Amino acid sequence: LAKTTQPISMDSYEGQEVNITCSHNNIATNDYITWYQQFPSQGPRFIIQGYKTKVTNEVASLFIPADRKSSTLSLPRVSLSDTAVYYCLVGDGGQNFVFGPGTRLSVLP
Amino acid sequence: ETGVTQSPTHLIKTRGQQVTLRCSSQSGHNTVSWYQQALGQGPQFIFQYYREEENGRGNFPPRFSGLQFPNYSSELNVNALELDDSALYLCASSLGQVSNTEAFFGQGTRLTVV
C-alpha cells in the first residue's frame, strides 16, 4: 500500500513560488503521482499528474526524480486564491487512491 | 464545474437509520468512486464501481454498500447509521482506473448523524 508523507502546513506570500514535496517510498512500478487541490466544503480538484521526470501544465509543474520515491509540486507566483489543502496521491497498485492529510497552504498578502 | 452532481447536498439522519446518497457522473465516464471525508482529514476510499461492478473496496464495513446503474450514475447506501458516519461524502468519476487518470469530484454530500 503506497502511502505518502507531506508537510502538514506551509505559509507563503502572494507572488512567491511554492514548492510542496511529497515522499512515497513504496510507490509501485505502474503507479502515477497525482496532485489534487481542495477548498473547504468542496470536492478535490485535479491539478497535475506524472510518472517520471517533469510535467508542466498551465497551473503547476511536477518534478519527479529518477527513483520516484518523492515528488515536488511547484506553484508559480501564488495568489490568495491558492489557499487550500493540497494532496499528493499515488495509486496503490489496485483501483484507488490513498489520501493522506494533505498540506494546508496559506497564502498571505 | 466538473459535471459530477451529488444529491442531496446536506442531510441530517438519526443514529440507526439508513441513508442513500446519489451521484451523477460526468458524461462518458464509466468509473465511479466514493470517499468519506471527516472534518480536517483527507478523503478515505470506500469503494469503486466500473461498468456496474464493484472492483475495489476500502476498509469500510458491509453496511456501506453501493450500486452503479447502466448510465453510470451511482448510489451509496449506509445502513444502521452511527455518529461517526457524520462526514462529507464525495463521489469521483473517471474514465478507467482512478489512480492513473484524472478523476472529477462532485461537491459532496454533508451527512450529519445525530
Side-chain angles (χ1 to χ4, degrees):
Chain A
L1 192 66
K3 292 188 177 180
T4 60
T5 303
Q6 310 172 227
I8 293 298
S9 64
M10 294 181 69
D11 291 337
S12 182
Y13 290 96
E14 279 192 292
Q16 288 189 331
E17 177 184 77
V18 171
N19 296 308
I20 306 175
T21 297
C22 177
S23 297
H24 28 79
N25 291 319
N26 297 324
I27 189 169
T29 302
N30 296 329
D31 285 343
Y32 281 71
I33 299 157
T34 311
W35 286 80
Y36 281 80
Q37 174 193 56
Q38 187 177 27
F39 298 110
S41 298
Q42 293 187 23
R45 184 176 71 98
F46 175 91
I47 301 174
I48 198 166
Q49 184 178 76
Y51 184 80
K52 60 181 180 180
T53 63
K54 177 184 174 182
V55 180
T56 297
N57 62 21
E58 63 276 10
V59 298
S61 294
L62 179 59
F63 299 91
I64 306 169
D67 66 5
R68 304 200 329 122
K69 293 184 183 299
S70 66
S71 59
T72 299
L73 173 72
S74 181
L75 304 172
R77 297 181 299 282
V78 294
S79 64
L80 296 177
S81 63
D82 293 317
T83 294
V85 178
Y86 292 82
Y87 295 100
C88 161
L89 302 107
V90 298
D92 68 350
Q95 298 86 13
N96 66 82
F97 278 135
V98 177
F99 280 82
T103 297
R104 187 171 300 275
L105 173 65
S106 297
V107 180
L108 308 172
Chain B
E1 190 67 38
T2 65
V4 179
T5 305
Q6 293 187 242
S7 62
T9 55
H10 295 83
L11 197 57
I12 300 175
K13 287 288 190 178
T14 302
R15 188 171 51 183
Q17 285 188 314
Q18 177 266 345
V19 68
T20 298
L21 310 181
R22 295 178 174 83
C23 174
S24 294
S25 57
Q26 182 152 316
S27 178
H29 283 184
N30 54 18
T31 304
V32 174
S33 303
W34 286 90
Y35 294 81
Q36 180 195 66
Q37 186 173 26
L39 204 59
Q41 298 183 21
Q44 301 301 306
F45 174 74
I46 304 175
F47 44 56
Q48 178 175 282
Y49 279 82
Y50 172 70
R51 293 186 175 181
E52 303 178 57
E53 296 288 331
E54 181 181 305
N55 74 337
R57 189 177 183 91
N59 189 27
F60 279 81
R63 59 189 185 84
F64 286 79
S65 63
L67 284 173
Q68 187 180 31
F69 300 99
N71 66 355
Y72 300 138
S73 65
S74 177
E75 286 183 355
L76 164 66
N77 298 291
V78 187
N79 294 322
L81 284 168
E82 302 176 359
L83 297 179
D84 285 348
D85 296 332
S86 295
L88 181 68
Y89 288 85
L90 297 160
C91 81
S93 80
S94 60
L95 186 61
Q97 187 166 302
V98 171
S99 58
N100 290 340
T101 188
E102 178 178 356
F104 294 83
F105 284 80
Q107 294 285 75
T109 294
R110 173 73 63 187
L111 172 65
T112 301
V113 182
V114 297

